[in-house]
Amino acid sequence: MKTAITEMFGIQHPIIQGGMHYVGFAEMAAAVSNAGGLGIITGLTQKTPDDLAKEIARCKDMTDKPFGVNLTFLPTVNAPDYPGYVKAIIDGGVKAVETAGNNPAQVLPFFKEAGVKVIHKCTSVRHALKAQSIGCDAVSVDGFECGGHPGEDDVPNFILLPRAADELEIPFVSSGGMADGRSLMASIAMGADGMNMGTRFIATKEAPVHENVKAAIVAATELDTRLVMRPLRNTERVMTNEAVELLLQKEKELGDDLKFEDIIEQVAGVYPRIMMEGDMDAGAWSCGMVAGLINDIPTCQELIDRIMGEAEEIRQRMNAISG
C-alpha cells in the first residue's frame, strides 16, 4: 500500500510505532521497521544524548530499514539537553523524527538542514495547523481514545480525522484506537495517510517490557482505562490499577486545591518499575482504550502482515459493494 506517508519515510506499510516511554528501545523500533513499518526509539527514555547515540547505533545493528526517534518537548524548569539529543539524532543518520509535547519550532531548522522528516503529534486540528505552519512535514492526529495525553478537547477520531482532512495540506496519520486492518482502512477512508499505534505494539513478542504488562493489556477491556490529572489540565489516559484509583480519589477529595505534588507518588518515576519489573500497581502508565481490541501477543511481523491482509480483504469487500 503506497501513501504519502510510505513515500515520505521510505517504508513498505503506512504503519508507525509511536514513541513510548520505556518501550521504544532499539529492539522495539527494529522489529517494527523490519516488518515494514516505521519503528521509533523514544529519545527521552535515554538519559543522555550519548545514551541515545548508542541506542541509535544499536538499532542500526538490528535493521537496515528506516526508523525514527521520538523527541518530546516537556514543559519543565530543568529541561533535558535538547540540543544534544538533536545532534545525536542527526549525527546518527536518522531521517525521521516524531516530535511531541510543546512546539518544536526551535529544532526544525536543524532537522531541515540535515534532511530529517518531522512528524508532530497533535490532539486538535488547531495544533495540527500550527505544526503545518511552522514547517512540520506531517502530523499524527491523536483522538481522545489514545493512551497518554489526549489533550483537553475530548474529540474522538471519528470527528477529528475528517476535520483534519478538511483543513490540512500536509500528510497525516491517525493515532488513538488503532489496532488492526479495520483501523487502517477506516483511517484512510477519513482522509489519513496511515496510522500510528502505541498500545498495540506493547503487546508484541519483541516489545522489551515485562510479560505482566503484555498480559494486562490482553486481559483489559475498553472500559479499563482512566483519565488522570484532568484538574491540572494535563490529562493522561492510563490503565486502571490500585495506584490509579487512589490517585482519582485524591483528585476528588482535593478538588480545586489539587497540586501535582499531591499525586507525584502515583505518576513520577514509575515507568521502570512497571515496564521493566512488572510491578503493575506501582502507579499510572499510559494505555489506550484500544486494549479492548487486543487479544494476543504476536510478533511485529505477524501483526503487521495480519493488518495488511485484513486491509486488503476490506478493500476487496468495498470494491464488491461498489460494483
Side-chain angles (χ1 to χ4, degrees):
M1 184 185 288
K2 279 189 179 179
T3 72
I5 286 294
T6 62
E7 299 293 293
M8 180 179 292
F9 294 114
I11 55 179
Q12 184 182 358
H13 306 303
I15 298 172
I16 298 174
Q17 166 243 318
M20 295 172 283
H21 204 33
Y22 278 87
V23 180
F25 291 100
E27 293 87 347
M28 182 86 264
V32 173
S33 291
N34 284 333
L38 183 69
I40 301 282
I41 293 171
T42 307
L44 294 189
T45 295
Q46 303 300 318
K47 291 183 170 55
T48 68
D50 186 52
D51 290 337
L52 177 58
K54 289 173 183 169
E55 197 69 8
I56 290 169
R58 214 160 66 82
C59 196
K60 284 191 161 183
D61 285 341
M62 299 180 197
T63 184
D64 57 1
K65 304 284 180 63
F67 64 90
V69 172
N70 166 281
L71 197 54
T72 298
F73 294 93
L74 303 167
T76 176
V77 177
N78 301 311
D81 178 9
Y82 285 116
Y85 284 106
V86 170
K87 187 174 186 301
I89 291 166
I90 293 170
D91 289 352
V94 174
K95 294 300 180 186
V97 167
E98 177 191 61
T99 53
N102 284 359
N103 189 319
Q106 72 272 25
V107 302
L108 288 182
F110 303 103
F111 287 138
K112 291 275 184 195
E113 190 181 336
V116 178
K117 298 293 185 185
V118 175
I119 180 167
H120 187 62
K121 293 194 81 169
C122 306
T123 59
S124 68
V125 174
R126 65 184 182 280
H127 292 153
L129 288 169
K130 180 66 175 177
Q132 176 176 276
S133 74
I134 64 173
C136 290
D137 299 285
V139 289
S140 173
V141 178
D142 270 27
F144 184 53
E145 307 93 325
C146 73
H149 296 278
E152 307 302 321
D153 294 342
D154 301 1
V155 181
N157 269 326
F158 246 77
I159 308 301
L160 192 59
L161 297 179
R163 281 285 297 117
D166 288 345
E167 300 278 351
L168 288 170
E169 294 172 10
I170 58 174
F172 71 96
V173 298
S174 61
S175 185
M178 303 299 136
D180 53 31
R182 295 172 298 183
S183 312
L184 178 58
M185 293 302 279
S187 299
I188 287 172
M190 287 188 276
D193 298 283
M195 68 179 180
N196 176 303
M197 298 196 304
T199 304
R200 173 65 269 199
F201 275 126
I202 303 177
T204 57
K205 291 276 198 302
E206 296 94 340
V209 301
H210 198 282
E211 290 302 314
N212 289 355
V213 179
K214 301 178 188 185
I217 292 172
V218 170
T221 75
E222 66 276 16
L223 304 177
D224 290 324
T225 68
R226 300 287 183 269
L227 296 170
V228 299
M229 297 191 285
R230 297 230 88 176
L232 302 175
R233 292 191 63 77
N234 187 28
T235 302
E236 184 176 5
R237 185 178 297 282
V238 300
M239 176 75 83
T240 186
N241 58 30
E242 286 180 19
V244 165
E245 295 302 330
L246 177 64
L247 188 163
L248 289 169
Q249 188 61 36
K250 278 188 185 177
E251 288 185 353
K252 189 175 176 183
E253 288 169 1
L254 294 171
D256 292 342
D257 296 326
L258 180 76
K259 298 182 185 64
F260 180 71
E261 292 72 30
D262 298 320
I263 56 172
I264 196 165
E265 208 176 295
Q266 285 82 31
V267 296
V270 298
Y271 269 82
R273 288 167 57 196
I274 295 164
M275 296 298 174
M276 306 184 92
E277 297 169 27
D279 180 358
M280 300 314 296
D281 287 313
W285 59 283
S286 296
C287 180
M289 294 175 82
V290 74
L293 297 177
I294 298 171
N295 303 303
D296 63 352
I297 304 172
T299 66
C300 288
Q301 187 73 60
E302 289 166 348
L303 175 61
I304 290 179
D305 286 350
R306 184 167 74 199
I307 288 170
M308 298 314 298
E310 291 167 350
E312 177 58 22
E313 285 176 16
I314 292 166
R315 188 185 68 78
Q316 290 178 9
R317 191 167 80 238
M318 297 303 284
N319 285 344
I321 291 170
S322 65

